[in-house]
Amino acid sequence: MPSKDTPSSEKQRPGDVASPSRVPSWLVKLALWAMGIMAAGLASILLVVGVAMVVAYPNLPDISDLADYKPKLPLRIYTADGVLMGEFGEERRNLTPIKDIPQVMKNAVLSIEDNRFYQHGGLDYIGLLRAGLANIGRAKSQGASTITMQVARNVYLSSEKTFTRKIYEILLTYKLEHLLTKDQILEVYMNQIYLGNRAYGFASAAETYFGKPLKDISIAEAAMLAGLPKAPSAYNPISNPKRARSRQLYIIERMEDSKYITAEQAKAAKAEPLNLRTSGDKRTLHAEYVAETVRQMVFAQYGQDTYTRGLNVYTTVQSTEQMAAYKALRQGIMDFESRQIYRGPEKFVDLPTDPKKMEEAIDDALDDHPDNGDVMSAVVLEASPRKVVVVRQNGEQISITGDGLKPAQSGLSEKAPPAKQLRKGAVIRITQTPKGLWMITQLPEVEGAFVAITPQTGAIRALVGGFDYAKNKFNHVTQAWRQPGSSFKPFIYSAALEKGFTPATVVNDAPLFFDAGVTGGQPWEPKNYDGTFDGPMTLRRGLAKSKNMISIRVLQAVGARNAQEWITRFGFDEDKHPAYLTMALGAGSVTPMQMATAYSVFANGGYRMQPHLITRISDFKDRVLVDSPLPTQMTEEQHTLPERNAFVMSSLLQEVTRSGTAARAQAMLRRPDIYGKTGTTNDSMDAWFAGYQPHLAAVVWMGYDTPRKLGDRETGGGLSLPVWISFMETALRGTPVSEPPVPEGVVNVNGDWMFEEFAKGGGISTLGTGNEGTAKAPAPAPPNEEKSKILDLFRH
């Protein structure tokens, strides 16, 4: 009998319990059956995917064009010294070859987007596994999409999340990896990716966010930019600084973990302050009016291709002078605005008591009233005659007291009308003085224009067409036809020099009266600006003091028709200056650009040079398409004014800036080579100053778009001249004093310059004194039917 400890091979008897180590056959069959189904399912899926790929592959887009990547590139407009001042196109993009992208920028992108980019073949299986594990652990992950997959998706595919699109994405990824090198793929990615604020590619983003070329980017800045592809809006450093900062720090850590930077570099990068470029950034070159003028010129040549083929346009504008012109004109306009009556808040909003809802209401209100450069918007939280507390869109609260309240004092009075009263919920404007004082202000209603030209070439060196392009796109330099007032008198005097007048000619500053029989309508009794008459004085003194009576008598002697023909030598239109005596007071119509061109004729010795703006147009590969260099010399064809006439007129205009209505010019600039003339029209509707140094002519105009009085005490000398001086302080810095040589046919008699043939008797003659000498007698009055318009022209 076998021992009971010996293993038994006998069959199990009924009722016995099965051994736990033995698997029932039915369970094995079930497992095999399930595995078979799974294998068949997997095979089916692979078959479907395979068929889908076979069917889809021939339908993939042709990617050969990526080998010579040519995205839509905007029109870019540059100053003469290479500063970007305008960009036009749907996308801000600056195509940068991979060799020109700094390594720090590539490292930052690779560390966060695809650290194994140069190791995998398009799909990063290790990255997929790591991303899956990280997601399970809810840790931060760089994601599963490789850079090649992102290029496939961003360049060729839509953003829809479907199975079909995913197949196309995988196929395109393999196709890209097969046809392009890794560097070519990375170049496309770094130029194509959208990074917020209409910026495409990292070169454009560097300019947009930091105002610098990509080659100058730091580790901290590169890390900030590298955080944008994931969510350009959420990680925008301007609109979402906290989230952007958090992602920047994380990327710096990734760069350190990947050995792209050292621990010391990481620490320094985390501590580095970032200077972000905003709309109110003082580094921003405001040349919107110039850029728009160039855009129109280029569009006339290239049509819609203007915005896609990557044209680069180089102009004559000098960035330093453009910035000086912009600041000077804005300051001049704001100085005028500070003397105006406070017109009240721009809007009133209800502020809820709930802090979060209040913050939302303030943000909404200020979104509708954005900052205008240094004229910023804010909402009043509390107001009293002694203190006003406002809040900005960034949550900053500012208290305004003392002199900062003066411009809006009328709005703080209890008697102020509800629409003008400063109270809680009022949307107002504030600004900060150079000394740090916050002041209440308001957006100006008055407009202005500034243009500066090189007289010898016509090169436009600075142009500001108004207070702010976003507020008013009308270019007052080229489009505003306004009365020039007394700034037009030099052209009448120029005509008089050819008729025998000299600077020493004595003209009577005495009242003039034209009765209805002469005017054909109402009597006309012109006045000087100050309402006084100083009697006989020389032509030189008459122009320096801007005496109207003298200009009218001079025009009578020259003849209105003769003067009308003469002014065409300076580029003025005859039909804009009717041949009436009111021409002597600048009652015609000119643009600031015309005035700058005309004064340049005096400055350059008698040559009329056409304004020149564009010097070169090239494509994105810097191949020159248009070459229009500045003229190297002035031609006889452009010589429209005798050189001696220009010289003597400069002598007269120099007197204006030395002892006349513009005496502040030489006094403040501390140099004698300054020439010019103030201009104030009837009822002070237009204020001008036009002047030059021999190598730079500039014109300033101020007035309302719908003509109305600037104010009884507002003049060209008080409004426009300070703007001109401010600009010239920058533009002439380091420029040596330069006065023109004495031309042939001009002699100096008793300290005054005059034409040689008119120098007899010291060039002294008289007009309108009752003791006329060699000067021409007044011309016969125009026919009554023409004189009937004199009074209307003078008034309007």
Side-chain angles (χ1 to χ4, degrees):
M1 174 182 273
S3 169
K4 61 181 181 181
D5 296 326
T6 303
S8 174
S9 60
E10 295 180 0
K11 291 183 179 180
Q12 182 177 342
R13 293 190 297 268
D16 289 348
V17 178
S19 171
S21 61
R22 186 173 295 182
V23 179
S25 58
W26 63 270
L27 190 58
V28 173
K29 290 179 181 179
L30 181 63
L32 292 173
W33 182 74
M35 289 175 64
I37 292 177
M38 288 177 63
L42 181 61
S44 299
I45 293 173
L46 291 174
L47 180 63
V48 170
V49 171
V51 171
M53 288 187 172
V54 170
V55 173
Y57 196 85
N59 296 322
L60 291 176
D62 181 14
I63 65 172
S64 60
D65 58 336
L66 280 187
D68 185 22
Y69 179 57
K70 293 179 181 177
K72 290 182 180 180
L73 297 174
L75 167 69
R76 283 193 173 88
I77 301 165
Y78 295 91
T79 63
D81 48 329
V83 178
L84 180 67
M85 62 179 179
E87 198 171 33
F88 296 91
E90 295 179 3
E91 304 170 354
R92 290 176 177 163
R93 196 192 302 276
N94 190 356
L95 185 58
T96 308
I98 190 68
K99 64 182 178 61
D100 295 331
I101 298 175
Q103 192 62 44
V104 66
M105 190 69 252
K106 289 186 280 189
N107 291 343
V109 169
L110 293 174
S111 70
I112 191 64
E113 293 296 331
D114 190 354
N115 206 28
R116 298 188 65 255
F117 173 71
Y118 283 97
Q119 283 77 50
H120 63 66
L123 294 181
D124 185 7
Y125 302 106
I126 295 176
L128 282 169
L129 179 61
R130 184 173 59 248
L133 293 174
N135 288 335
I136 293 173
R138 295 188 178 183
K140 287 186 177 180
S141 168
Q142 71 183 76
S145 287
T146 65
I147 283 177
T148 313
M149 292 172 71
Q150 292 184 59
V151 170
R153 182 166 63 244
N154 293 332
V155 177
Y156 293 107
L157 302 175
S158 67
S159 58
E160 63 177 345
K161 295 182 179 180
T162 63
F163 181 70
T164 303
R165 199 223 63 175
K166 198 64 181 177
I167 290 176
Y168 273 100
E169 183 179 314
I170 294 171
L171 290 175
L172 272 173
T173 296
Y174 283 124
K175 193 171 184 180
L176 285 169
E177 290 277 348
H178 177 70
L179 293 178
L180 302 179
T181 67
K182 286 288 188 178
D183 278 351
Q184 285 177 310
I185 294 171
L186 187 59
E187 178 180 295
V188 172
Y189 175 82
M190 298 198 75
N191 282 284
Q192 179 72 22
I193 194 74
Y194 178 62
L195 300 170
N197 281 34
R198 286 180 46 231
Y200 288 78
F202 287 93
S204 179
E207 291 282 357
T208 299
Y209 293 106
F210 299 115
K212 61 166 60 175
L214 187 61
K215 64 182 179 64
D216 296 333
I217 219 78
S218 68
I219 294 174
E221 291 165 338
M224 182 66 79
L225 295 179
L228 289 166
K230 182 177 181 180
S233 177
Y235 297 115
N236 187 311
I238 296 175
S239 57
N240 288 299
K242 289 183 180 179
R243 294 187 67 181
R245 171 64 173 166
S246 175
R247 185 155 176 82
Q248 178 212 26
L249 294 175
Y250 173 62
I251 292 173
I252 292 173
E253 291 171 1
R254 290 298 301 266
M255 292 177 74
E256 182 184 357
D257 292 342
S258 301
K259 307 301 182 184
Y260 290 129
I261 59 175
T262 65
E264 291 75 15
Q265 288 176 313
K267 183 178 180 181
K270 290 179 179 180
E272 180 183 326
L274 297 185
N275 295 316
L276 292 170
R277 183 181 190 179
T278 62
S279 59
D281 197 323
K282 294 181 179 179
R283 296 171 294 172
T284 302
L285 179 65
H286 289 280
E288 295 86 352
Y289 290 98
V290 187
E292 173 58 19
T293 300
V294 173
R295 183 200 67 79
Q296 292 176 19
M297 296 168 71
V298 176
F299 185 83
Q301 177 72 26
Y302 295 100
Q304 288 299 325
D305 287 348
T306 298
Y307 310 119
T308 59
R309 62 183 293 183
L311 298 176
N312 295 312
V313 183
Y314 298 89
T315 69
T316 58
V317 173
Q318 299 290 331
S319 63
T320 302
E321 294 177 17
Q322 177 66 29
M323 191 172 293
Y326 173 81
K327 290 180 179 178
L329 184 63
R330 277 182 71 94
Q331 188 60 54
I333 290 175
M334 291 307 296
D335 286 346
F336 170 80
E337 191 59 46
S338 68
R339 299 192 291 272
Q340 308 311 300
I341 296 174
Y342 187 63
R343 294 183 293 274
E346 296 177 17
K347 183 182 180 180
F348 293 94
V349 293
D350 293 327
L351 298 181
T353 54
D354 179 75
K356 188 173 182 180
K357 291 182 178 179
M358 179 188 289
E359 184 178 342
E360 291 175 354
I362 290 170
D363 285 345
D364 290 343
L366 297 182
D367 278 341
D368 295 335
H369 298 264
D371 292 348
N372 187 296
D374 54 358
V375 183
M376 295 170 277
S377 56
V379 174
V380 174
L381 296 180
E382 60 178 89
S384 71
R386 292 191 174 184
K387 185 172 79 169
V388 171
V389 179
V390 301
V391 62
R392 299 264 294 126
Q393 195 163 25
N394 59 8
E396 177 189 11
Q397 289 192 16
I398 298 169
S399 294
I400 305 172
T401 59
D403 290 341
L405 300 175
K406 286 183 178 179
Q409 203 65 52
S410 60
L412 293 169
S413 170
E414 294 180 357
K415 298 179 179 179
K420 293 185 178 182
Q421 192 172 59
L422 281 171
R423 62 180 187 273
K424 185 176 181 178
V427 178
I428 65 170
R429 296 283 167 170
I430 61 174
T431 190
Q432 194 171 24
T433 67
K435 294 183 178 180
L437 173 68
W438 284 102
M439 298 183 65
I440 295 175
T441 186
Q442 56 191 348
L443 283 175
E445 293 181 343
V446 75
E447 273 294 353
F450 182 97
V451 60
I453 290 178
T454 300
Q456 291 73 22
T457 63
I460 298 172
R461 289 161 60 169
L463 186 153
V464 186
F467 177 76
D468 182 76
Y469 183 77
K471 176 173 171 280
N472 187 349
K473 293 177 172 55
F474 185 78
N475 189 339
H476 297 84
V477 169
T478 59
Q479 296 176 290
W481 290 91
R482 306 294 293 223
Q483 288 188 344
S486 297
S487 63
F488 196 75
K489 289 176 181 177
F491 308 109
I492 305 301
Y493 279 55
S494 172
L497 294 180
E498 297 299 317
K499 292 293 184 179
F501 282 79
T502 75
T505 298
V506 176
V507 185
N508 195 11
D509 177 32
L512 283 169
F513 178 81
F514 300 92
D515 60 27
V518 175
T519 64
Q522 297 179 0
W524 177 39
E525 188 176 7
K527 304 286 186 184
N528 286 319
Y529 173 77
D530 60 5
T532 65
F533 302 96
D534 293 340
M537 64 176 62
T538 63
L539 207 68
R540 174 179 293 277
R541 196 65 193 148
L543 183 62
K545 298 188 71 173
S546 198
K547 290 292 187 176
N548 290 341
M549 301 306 105
I550 290 180
S551 296
I552 294 171
R553 283 194 164 93
V554 168
L555 182 56
Q556 280 184 308
V558 170
R561 180 67 190 121
N562 290 334
Q564 186 188 42
E565 292 178 356
W566 185 260
I567 65 172
T568 60
R569 293 169 177 259
F570 300 90
F572 295 115
D573 304 323
E574 278 192 36
D575 60 340
K576 298 285 187 182
H577 301 272
Y580 306 124
L581 292 180
T582 49
M583 195 194 323
L585 308 182
S589 295
V590 299
T591 66
M593 182 66 81
Q594 276 191 333
M595 291 292 279
T597 304
Y599 270 78
S600 292
V601 176
F602 292 139
N604 64 31
Y607 296 83
R608 192 174 89 211
M609 307 299 292
Q610 291 299 320
H612 197 120
L613 183 55
I614 295 175
T615 57
R616 179 164 60 94
I617 301 177
S618 63
D619 65 11
F620 71 99
K621 289 189 174 181
D622 207 29
R623 292 175 296 206
V624 177
L625 306 178
V626 175
D627 191 19
S628 179
L630 291 169
T632 56
Q633 61 182 14
M634 297 175 286
T635 66
E636 193 56 36
E637 184 181 350
Q638 295 163 326
H639 199 182
T640 62
L641 185 72
E643 185 180 2
R644 64 180 191 171
N645 189 298
F647 179 85
V648 175
M649 281 307 306
S650 286
S651 171
L652 291 172
L653 292 170
Q654 189 178 37
E655 190 66 46
V656 177
T657 63
R658 179 165 51 216
S659 66
T661 56
R664 291 170 62 185
Q666 287 195 35
M668 294 188 70
L669 293 172
R670 297 181 181 179
R671 53 191 302 152
D673 58 339
I674 300 297
Y675 314 79
K677 183 70 184 74
T678 54
T680 309
T681 62
N682 195 34
D683 288 334
S684 297
M685 292 188 180
D686 298 90
W688 294 81
F689 185 77
Y692 56 92
Q693 189 267 355
H695 299 289
L696 180 61
V699 170
V700 182
W701 165 85
M702 285 178 62
Y704 291 101
D705 278 341
T706 301
R708 59 187 171 97
K709 292 181 68 170
L710 291 163
D712 291 336
R713 295 174 178 266
E714 304 293 356
T715 65
L719 282 178
S720 297
L721 178 59
V723 174
W724 192 91
I725 292 172
S726 176
F727 168 79
M728 285 293 183
E729 283 176 338
T730 296
L732 297 181
R733 191 172 294 143
T735 302
V737 171
S738 172
E739 298 194 55
V742 181
E744 185 178 348
V746 175
V747 295
N748 190 300
V749 179
N750 298 324
D752 221 334
W753 298 106
M754 56 192 69
F755 298 171
E756 193 171 17
E757 64 269 31
F758 300 142
K760 284 186 179 182
I764 299 175
S765 53
T766 59
L767 179 65
T769 64
N771 186 28
E772 277 69 23
T774 59
K776 299 283 185 178
N784 286 348
E785 60 267 25
E786 294 183 2
K787 280 297 187 70
S788 65
K789 299 180 181 178
I790 288 179
L791 188 57
D792 288 339
L793 281 169
F794 179 69
R795 284 180 171 173
H796 297 96

